[in-house]
Amino acid sequence: MTSVAVRSCEPSFRWKALEILMRDCDPNNLRCSTIPDQIIRDDPRITPEIRNRLHVEAEVIYGALGEEFGFVPSPRSSIVNIPSVQAPDLMSPGRWLESPQISPAISSDAQLLSIRIERGSGLHRIHFQSSGLSPDCEHVYYLSPDRVFVYRLGDLSASPTGVVVLSRSPVGPVGSSYRKASLSKRFLAVLKEGPVDSLEVMKYAGGLQDETMVKSEIFEARSNEHRWHPNCVAIHESSGRVWVAVGGLTNLGDAMCGSIRMYRIDVTNTGMELSRHDAIFNRPRPDPLARDFLKMIAFDHRGERLVALTNNNTILVWLLSNNARPIGAPFSIAKNYTSEMNVQGATSATTFTAAASFNPYVLCTTSPSNENHTREMSFISPVASTPMEVPPTLNHPLWKLGNAKAMIAGAASSTGRTIALLEETGKVVIMPLSPQDCRGLEERNATVLNKQLAKQRDTSPTSIRFCESNQQLYLVAVDTGGSVIKKRFGVLTGSQSSSESGWYAPLVFFNNADFYAAQNSLVNRLFATFRS
């Protein structure tokens, strides 16, 4: 039940969805159909919005149980059956009740370290355009048009080793160059552009042994007018599965339309396989990427959500099934910006989950105009599993940033109690979060670290991360010049942090003993159904 509880998207519907799954489950083939219309007719309290939320929760539970019991749902089957066109419901503030937590003061002390990265000289001088961290912050990549390096940082409790574990140049037609990259714990995914665009995936953990550990996917064009151009990439690795999401656009002449392609990596005894995964993100209608395209894409910590940021400054969040397929239409937040800021606008988006409530949120960094208008500030907003309208009381601008410059990247801790933002000046700002008066989360204060990176106008969304190492919580940020900022928060003991008391709250579902016993009985009956 651990995976069911952790993945739960609609906690208030968890047990009802379990009851429905148990009632509608066929133990002979471990397949579940959609929630029967009979339930809707018999209970007038179940509105279409509630039905959609039940569908979403049932899909997540079914996928989690499937992994636990060793079966995989059919790729073509889905418990979710959301209408293709529907007016978004208004998000209820009452659902986003967060437990009060004591947030201790955060010091500005940090370490500024450096890695001696290869720079070349003269006409062969290497100019890096982006850098980013692996999820465990043990490796960092540096990307230039002509070269990509992966360096090992090593244990965060010590100085970075600066050992090169991968070095590669674009292979292919003349004029090919690297554009974007993303790291997982073992793999590097790189987008290459030129006469022929492609995706390259390399296994860097333990060093690059031979060409069997490098795979490519070529994006061939059927015609020059409808060529698909990849422009952002994200990679996620967990539980033996590795997924790569590539965002791109197609030039239709009078408009550009975006799309997402999903890939799967399988490591075998003879090498590595990269295959296209059947996942469609442009449905249901209307197409959420019509006349728009992506400028950033990222998985959440657990790979349960895919967040994207479009050229028109719309944030899209898809809930993913256990086989990395979108569950219904994405949740979206559209932002309006003044004409002077349309070029940059929103700069990054990252999703996170509040540990105590399991409520999902999105942190969006922006490049505010001189007006500092509400809609142009970096902000935090709840994330629903289906399309919903967010009321102003839940969409919270980060006012404590004051007159800060453009924020180009952001990160959230695994507990959802702390966020960090990277300013274009190289400054790093840390903000503890607490419950907002009108529900949701807001920042308590802003602490600027006493060390900073080099100035940069653009960066990878993974250039700043929270991670845990040797029972300690760290914040790590990098730039393209080899500088590394490291901030240590304290020692973690079980589910508590000595310097972040109350941020690692224990998991408590219900306080009523009788009701809790009834839930256990329901779960045991469900497990008996699956084991029979």
Side-chain angles (χ1 to χ4, degrees), residues 240-255:
R241 295 184 177 183
V242 185
W243 304 103
V244 181
V246 181
L249 61 95
T250 302
N251 189 347
L252 301 179
D254 60 339

Side-chain angles (χ1 to χ4, degrees), residues 32 70 81 269 346 390 416 437 459 480 488-489 507:
C32 295
N81 186 20
N269 295 331
V390 181
D437 291 339
T459 189
T480 56
R488 184 175 68 89
F489 289 89
L507 179 63

Side-chain angles (χ1 to χ4, degrees), residues 177-238:
S177 62
Y178 288 138
R179 184 174 183 181
K180 299 285 185 179
S182 183
L183 276 180
S184 71
K185 291 183 178 180
R186 295 182 298 162
F187 298 91
L188 170 70
V190 186
L191 294 182
K192 186 175 64 178
E193 64 179 358
V196 177
D197 296 335
S198 64
L199 164 69
E200 284 188 0
V201 177
M202 304 160 236
K203 186 175 184 293
Y204 70 84
L208 186 62
Q209 302 298 322
D210 51 52
E211 288 300 312
T212 63
M213 305 312 291
V214 179
K215 293 297 179 181
S216 298
E217 172 75 7
I218 298 176
F219 305 117
E220 295 181 331
R222 297 180 180 178
S223 66
N224 191 38
E225 187 175 86
H226 296 91
R227 181 178 175 181
W228 193 77
H229 299 270
N231 59 354
C232 56
V233 62
I235 185 169
H236 178 77
E237 180 179 358
S238 67

Side-chain angles (χ1 to χ4, degrees), residues 20 35-48 50-52 54-55:
I20 293 172
I35 296 176
D37 290 336
Q38 181 71 28
I39 298 176
I40 306 299
R41 291 194 298 266
D42 292 348
D43 193 343
R45 298 172 299 174
I46 301 182
T47 64
I50 291 178
R51 181 187 183 188
N52 290 339
L54 279 170
H55 278 306

Side-chain angles (χ1 to χ4, degrees), residues 495-518:
S495 62
Q496 298 290 326
S497 167
S498 61
S499 66
E500 299 183 9
S501 176
W503 291 3
Y504 292 77
L507 179 63
V508 177
F509 293 119
F510 297 92
N511 295 322
N512 187 291
D514 294 335
F515 192 38
Y516 188 68

Side-chain angles (χ1 to χ4, degrees), residues 307-489:
V307 59
L309 187 59
T310 76
N311 185 63
N312 291 337
N313 299 302
T314 297
I315 300 169
L316 300 170
V317 183
W318 284 271
L319 179 66
L320 301 179
S321 65
N322 68 319
N323 56 355
R325 289 186 174 89
I327 302 176
F331 169 80
S332 66
I333 301 176
K335 286 293 181 179
N336 298 318
Y337 292 86
T338 58
S339 58
E340 66 182 272
M341 295 309 303
N342 272 340
V343 176
Q344 196 167 10
T347 55
S348 75
T350 180
T351 54
F352 63 95
T353 303
S357 65
F358 292 102
N359 285 331
Y361 292 85
V362 62
L363 165 65
C364 179
T365 61
T366 64
S367 178
S369 71
N370 295 329
E371 300 173 9
N372 248 5
H373 194 277
T374 303
R375 294 174 298 177
E376 298 176 9
M377 291 289 290
S378 298
F379 65 91
I380 295 174
S381 171
V383 171
S385 302
T386 57
M388 282 192 178
E389 181 182 350
V390 181
T393 54
L394 290 178
N395 193 316
H396 182 72
L398 301 178
W399 293 112
K400 297 294 192 303
L401 290 175
N403 295 320
K405 301 294 184 180
M407 296 295 168
I408 55 178
S413 65
S414 59
T415 62
R417 286 298 177 185
T418 315
I419 60 173
L421 299 94
L422 177 60
E423 193 179 64
E424 64 179 359
T425 61
K427 295 180 180 179
V428 176
V429 183
I430 300 178
M431 295 179 163
L433 302 179
S434 62
Q436 189 181 2
D437 291 339
C438 298
R439 307 294 190 267
L441 294 173
E442 65 179 352
E443 83 281 26
R444 290 184 58 87
N445 50 59
T447 300
V448 180
L449 297 186
N450 59 4
K451 301 293 190 296
Q452 68 181 73
L453 303 173
K455 295 181 180 180
Q456 45 192 341
R457 290 290 299 171
D458 190 17
T459 189
S460 163
T462 62
S463 60
I464 183 168
R465 283 186 183 272
F466 283 92
C467 53
E468 297 175 10
S469 176
N470 296 327
Q471 296 300 310
Q472 293 183 328
L473 178 66
Y474 290 90
L475 173 70
V476 183
V478 297
D479 62 20
T480 56
S483 296
V484 180
I485 283 182
K486 183 171 66 175
K487 166 70 176 176
R488 184 175 68 89
F489 289 89

